[in-house]
Amino acid sequence: MSSASEASVDGELGWNRGVSASSRTKGRRRLFFCPKETAAMAKTERKPSHGDEKLYALRHSTAHVMAGAVLELMPDAKFGFGPPVADGFYYDFDLPRPLQPEDLGKIEAKMREVVKANHAFEHRDMSVKEALDFFRARNQTYKVDQIEKLAADGTSKDSDDRVEGGKVSLYQHNGFVDLCRGPHVARTGDIKAFKLLSIAGAYWRGNERNPQLQRIYGTVWPSQAELDAYLEKLKEIERRDHRALGKDLELFRIDDELGSGLVLWLPNLSIVREELETWWRKVHHERGYTLVYTPHIAHEKIYQRSGHLEKYGENMYGPLALDEGTQNFWIKPMNCPGHIKVFQSKVHSYRELPMRIGELGTVYRYERGGTLHGMLRVRGFTQDDSHIFCSWDQAQAEIGGVFDLAMEFLRVFGYSDPKIYLSTRPVKRLGTDELWDKAEKALADALGVREVPYDIDEGGGVFYAPKIDIKVMDAIGREWQGPTIQIDLNLPERFDVTFVNAQGQRERAVMIHRVLFGSLERFVGGLIEHYAGNFPLWLNWEQATVIPIRDSAFDYGRSVADRLGSRGFRVKLDQQGDMRARIKAAQERKSSYMLIVGDKEAAAGTVSVRRRGSRDEERGVTLDAFLERVSEERDSKALPADFVGHREPSAGDAMA
RNA sequence: GCCGACGUAGCUCAGCCGGUAGAGCAGCGGUUUCGUAAACCGCCGGUCGGCAGUUCGAGUCUGCCCGUCGGCUCCA
């Protein structure tokens, strides 16, 4: 007999049947991305729209069914938390042995039995003492821990559970009892289309000093069609994975011997980066930025003064002991100290402000091994960093200017639905509360003036400043971290950054830190996925491929390629294999245009145009007409014709 | 860093109960010149992630490192 029946207490507890999903009161909801997406994306998910209570109940109920199945298969299992998350659910277990991939199938089979048996979900309240006795008797130490915490605090940030009137809420089905506020579906038979996806480690209460539990992720949908659509979306995410595309398209490489977390930009992606940097410099010159270069290592005294060694030291590489070990240098983790020194190279009048100092500055930060992820999480990266030095009176307008520039950037790349977050003071920080009050208010005011709606990310600021984060949706509805703006009152004080005001007195400058791309590595890694490798013409490493049909057209093909090259296009003349092989290869390299030329084209001075993503050809296009067309496309930085932007809400939101 | 899985040619992978490494693609050399997604023939290419151990013998078994993947924690 399984222990599920040992846990069964129907008789003595008096369960209430038929608690409907709609009885669930509003509460905090913990939302995460599906496992595949997490590392690539922002930590917080946008809140789902109203009206998805049923989906919430379905996911929550399936988590219970899974936990019940695990308990039947492994009677010694102990349970942690098992909440619904975006697109599915998970449950954490403390198990006597590690789970194997084959276990998922067994657990799923057991779940299907329970679904088929159509057990009722039943609810009851229990006094704290009763509940503690109940879970102690079953050796469910994590539940005991949670109830004790709830009894002490009333609520818990780790779950929706709470103590009300001295009681906690429990649910049971098929003898599996869990601490839970509900709601649930009425019966297990209401669970239709589900699948267990993966196994992972997770710390109890998310704290790495706590024991590590085994987490099973699963997904569940009201219908098989919706489950299929979701699984298809996961496949699409896999197809777009920048690490796979990075290999296929020869974009970047991370070499073990060179060092993990360090990116080699291969020639193709280097072209993308060069185009981005060229445009970035142009835009910044137009906006009154001064572009500079600063060193990659610095004496430790500057990092003592900036507070980096104290608050950020565990992420820094060093020390490098120079001059017989009498002088310590560290590799720079941020560009701000260098830019402060640039500003302080002379005395500035208020007339010169705001002074906007920018740099494509390469920094190195130690990241723990398990956190590295392709180009999205690396140890060396280049930020498109700028520090704006201005007076307090100018700060708000400057923040607004940066904000507008950020929006322009996002539009160019086809990102949509920007969402704004205001991240406030973290626990580990410099400076007084008054300074933080002032800085946080300045950011909030700047957003207020623009009437931009935003959410607060409590404690999400950097050690020296609060920040505005802009998060955006990519082509398949995933959220990414975008530009960041920070207003810093700490470093100007530590470095005594001043200017001479209209009264001839020294006045403390305000420092605004901002990035638009963030890091080039992460931004471009994200772009690869956003575009699925199909880059817009202006960024593409192979803008056109000239494909002669046979030898007789080689000379004409060369003249076409030369003509395009002389207009600044990146063109490949392919003479390998036969024509069909050349077409296939060009398509695989994601060349923007194929220009197929044979004897007819040579005679007429035309090209046959085939656009990436299409099997149609357009014959008899004169070279001039083609040049005019692609010049316009390139210079306007148009999104490619095969780009399909994000239009609908994400799958999870659509379920409302 | 932690939990689990995995590391064989540039890439994708095969290699049984331990007997001394194999395919396709790519590359190179030929042949072929063909009207819209893979022409044909040949050749080159591997300290099987690294270091120890067990064994007559290790790609296969064991241990420790390194790395990658899925998460956790952290983050641009």
Side-chain angles (χ1 to χ4, degrees):
Chain A
M1 214 56 224
S2 75
S3 77
S5 59
E6 287 166 31
S8 177
V9 284
D10 293 49
E12 45 177 324
L13 291 180
W15 298 95
N16 302 315
R17 292 186 179 255
V19 175
S20 77
S22 59
S23 70
R24 181 180 182 272
T25 52
K26 61 182 187 300
R28 251 175 48 36
R29 189 164 310 172
R30 300 166 12 119
L31 287 156
F32 296 82
F33 280 95
C34 72
K36 297 253 185 216
E37 298 177 72
T38 311
M41 265 159 293
K43 168 166 59 178
T44 50
E45 152 82 296
R46 51 192 69 195
K47 299 285 182 228
S49 51
H50 293 296
D52 60 351
E53 295 293 301
K54 280 185 181 162
L55 192 59
Y56 180 95
L58 178 63
R59 290 178 172 154
H60 200 27
S61 302
T62 312
H64 275 227
V65 169
M66 178 173 80
V70 170
L71 184 60
E72 280 199 62
L73 292 165
M74 298 187 184
D76 296 332
K78 293 183 191 176
F79 303 92
F81 294 118
V85 293
D87 298 332
F89 59 90
Y90 68 78
Y91 214 115
D92 289 342
F93 306 97
D94 188 346
L95 301 174
R97 66 165 176 88
L99 286 168
Q100 303 299 319
E102 333 43 294
D103 290 320
L104 290 186
K106 291 179 198 156
I107 296 166
E108 246 182 55
K110 185 60 78 181
M111 289 170 70
R112 292 194 197 285
E113 282 174 29
V114 173
V115 166
K116 200 172 174 197
N118 202 20
H119 300 285
F121 277 94
E122 297 166 321
H123 171 254
R124 73 157 286 185
D125 291 325
M126 220 184 247
S127 74
V128 167
K129 182 181 179 311
E130 226 183 329
L132 283 172
D133 289 344
F134 178 85
F135 285 112
R136 275 200 191 109
R138 282 149 189 86
N139 201 27
Q140 289 297 340
T141 52
Y142 298 96
K143 295 297 170 185
V144 170
D145 182 56
Q146 172 69 350
I147 294 167
E148 283 171 344
K149 192 172 168 65
L150 290 174
D153 304 346
T155 59
S156 150
K157 66 180 173 58
D158 302 308
S159 80
D160 281 350
D161 301 316
R162 67 177 70 172
V163 173
E164 268 172 330
K167 294 185 170 206
V168 292
S169 168
L170 289 87
Y171 273 83
Q172 82 93 21
H173 77 277
N174 190 31
F176 171 77
V177 180
D178 199 3
L179 180 69
C180 171
R181 283 180 57 78
H184 283 284
V185 296
R187 313 191 66 87
T188 57
D190 297 335
I191 297 167
K192 307 289 187 211
F194 67 92
K195 184 173 170 60
L196 302 186
L197 297 173
S198 61
I199 304 163
Y203 301 107
W204 170 237
R205 293 190 192 284
N207 186 326
E208 62 184 322
R209 286 187 300 276
N210 286 342
Q212 189 150 32
L213 309 177
Q214 299 190 66
R215 174 171 297 179
I216 303 176
Y217 280 98
T219 188
V220 59
W221 297 87
S223 69
Q224 186 64 38
E226 284 155 298
L227 174 62
D228 291 344
Y230 175 67
L231 295 176
E232 183 49 44
K233 187 185 169 187
L234 291 185
K235 275 192 208 145
E236 177 63 22
I237 287 169
E238 231 175 286
R239 278 194 288 273
R240 286 172 180 254
D241 191 313
H242 75 287
R243 294 165 299 182
L245 287 169
K247 269 182 190 164
D248 292 346
L249 300 173
E250 297 173 17
L251 302 180
F252 71 97
R253 183 179 172 88
I254 293 171
D255 184 272
D256 185 7
E257 191 174 15
L258 184 74
S260 66
L262 301 171
V263 177
L264 292 164
W265 294 67
L266 300 181
N268 288 342
L269 202 62
S270 296
I271 287 168
V272 173
R273 177 165 171 173
E274 190 184 330
E275 289 287 354
L276 289 173
E277 290 186 352
T278 301
W279 177 63
W280 185 92
R281 289 196 178 91
K282 177 170 170 285
V283 166
H284 283 76
H285 282 129
E286 287 165 2
R287 303 256 175 167
Y289 282 75
T290 303
L291 302 186
V292 302
Y293 300 89
T294 63
H296 290 197
I297 65 170
H299 199 285
E300 73 179 351
K301 54 198 175 189
I302 196 169
Y303 295 121
Q304 278 159 355
R305 186 159 180 189
S306 69
H308 278 88
L309 277 179
E310 184 193 342
K311 303 291 183 190
Y312 203 74
E314 60 193 33
N315 291 300
M316 292 170 63
Y317 289 104
L320 308 167
L322 302 183
D323 296 333
E324 269 111 47
T326 59
Q327 307 296 316
N328 284 335
F329 283 71
W330 294 74
I331 299 173
K332 79 169 166 180
M334 294 187 192
N335 300 302
C336 23
H339 290 182
I340 289 171
K341 288 296 181 186
V342 170
F343 181 80
Q344 292 182 318
S345 62
K346 66 177 213 175
V347 175
H348 292 285
S349 153
Y350 70 96
R351 292 182 222 269
E352 296 170 80
L353 302 190
M355 185 166 173
R356 309 182 184 101
I357 296 175
E359 178 180 10
L360 292 163
T362 303
V363 298
Y364 293 85
R365 301 181 186 175
Y366 173 73
E367 298 287 350
R368 300 199 286 185
T371 64
L372 301 174
H373 183 91
M375 296 184 82
L376 300 180
R377 189 72 185 271
V378 296
R379 287 176 170 161
F381 54 96
T382 300
Q383 295 180 300
D384 66 316
D385 213 354
S386 288
H387 295 91
I388 299 172
F389 296 86
C390 62
S391 69
W392 179 252
D393 293 341
Q394 293 169 324
Q396 203 176 86
E398 283 303 304
I399 292 166
V402 170
F403 190 83
D404 294 343
L405 179 56
M407 290 301 166
E408 188 185 322
F409 258 63
L410 298 175
R411 201 184 55 247
V412 166
F413 297 101
Y415 286 110
S416 61
D417 307 300
K419 187 103 168 84
I420 318 301
Y421 294 84
L422 176 58
S423 299
T424 58
R425 68 197 76 184
V427 179
K428 204 170 176 181
R429 62 175 183 266
L430 297 174
T432 62
D433 284 349
E434 285 136 286
L435 280 186
W436 281 90
D437 288 342
K438 200 176 171 190
E440 285 169 8
K441 185 166 183 306
L443 290 181
D445 286 350
L447 291 172
V449 165
R450 283 189 151 54
E451 297 185 334
V452 178
Y454 62 91
D455 288 335
I456 304 260
D457 178 4
E458 210 68 60
V462 205
F463 74 83
Y464 51 79
K467 58 179 179 169
I468 293 171
D469 284 323
I470 302 173
K471 294 177 182 174
V472 294
M473 286 288 205
D474 77 357
I476 55 171
R478 296 177 300 173
E479 194 173 79
W480 295 76
Q481 169 69 259
T484 296
I485 309 167
Q486 303 159 359
I487 183 158
D488 180 7
L489 302 174
N490 276 305
L491 294 182
E493 194 161 291
R494 289 197 155 229
F495 282 93
D496 192 22
V497 180
T498 60
F499 62 93
V500 179
N501 65 19
Q503 288 74 47
Q505 284 153 348
R506 295 264 178 171
E507 186 174 323
R508 173 78 65 236
V510 173
M511 194 174 164
I512 297 165
H513 308 238
R514 48 112 282 193
V515 292
L516 301 177
F517 292 134
S519 95
L520 267 309
E521 282 74 7
R522 182 175 284 183
F523 183 80
V524 172
L527 267 193
I528 294 168
E529 303 204 351
H530 180 50
Y531 293 139
N534 296 308
F535 278 81
L537 186 66
W538 73 287
L539 295 174
N540 201 348
W541 48 92
E542 189 169 330
Q543 295 172 312
T545 312
V546 178
I547 298 176
I549 288 167
R550 52 196 181 104
D551 280 1
S552 56
F554 275 7
D555 287 345
Y556 179 64
R558 180 163 304 284
S559 75
V560 168
D562 288 348
R563 180 86 189 282
L564 283 155
S566 72
R567 292 282 295 266
F569 285 97
R570 296 179 281 269
V571 194
K572 177 183 172 76
L573 174 64
D574 191 354
Q575 305 183 1
Q576 299 273 308
D578 64 17
M579 179 197 61
R580 281 158 37 86
R582 292 170 200 153
I583 287 171
K584 181 174 197 306
Q587 197 77 27
E588 281 178 347
R589 291 194 307 272
K590 299 192 179 291
S591 169
S592 293
Y593 289 98
M594 284 178 242
L595 303 180
I596 291 147
V597 296
D599 298 337
K600 292 172 195 161
E601 283 78 8
T606 62
V607 289
S608 181
V609 180
R610 181 164 157 165
R611 187 167 49 71
R612 184 185 60 209
S614 166
R615 299 188 76 132
D616 297 333
E617 58 149 355
E618 194 184 347
R619 293 204 186 189
V621 179
T622 65
L623 199 46
D624 286 337
F626 179 74
L627 272 167
E628 195 179 329
R629 194 196 294 178
V630 289
S631 296
E632 161 63 21
E633 180 180 347
R634 175 185 65 184
D635 299 343
S636 68
K637 302 186 170 52
L639 290 165
D642 53 4
F643 175 79
V644 180
H646 176 60
R647 284 165 308 184
E648 295 169 66
S650 72
D653 293 343
M655 280 353 296

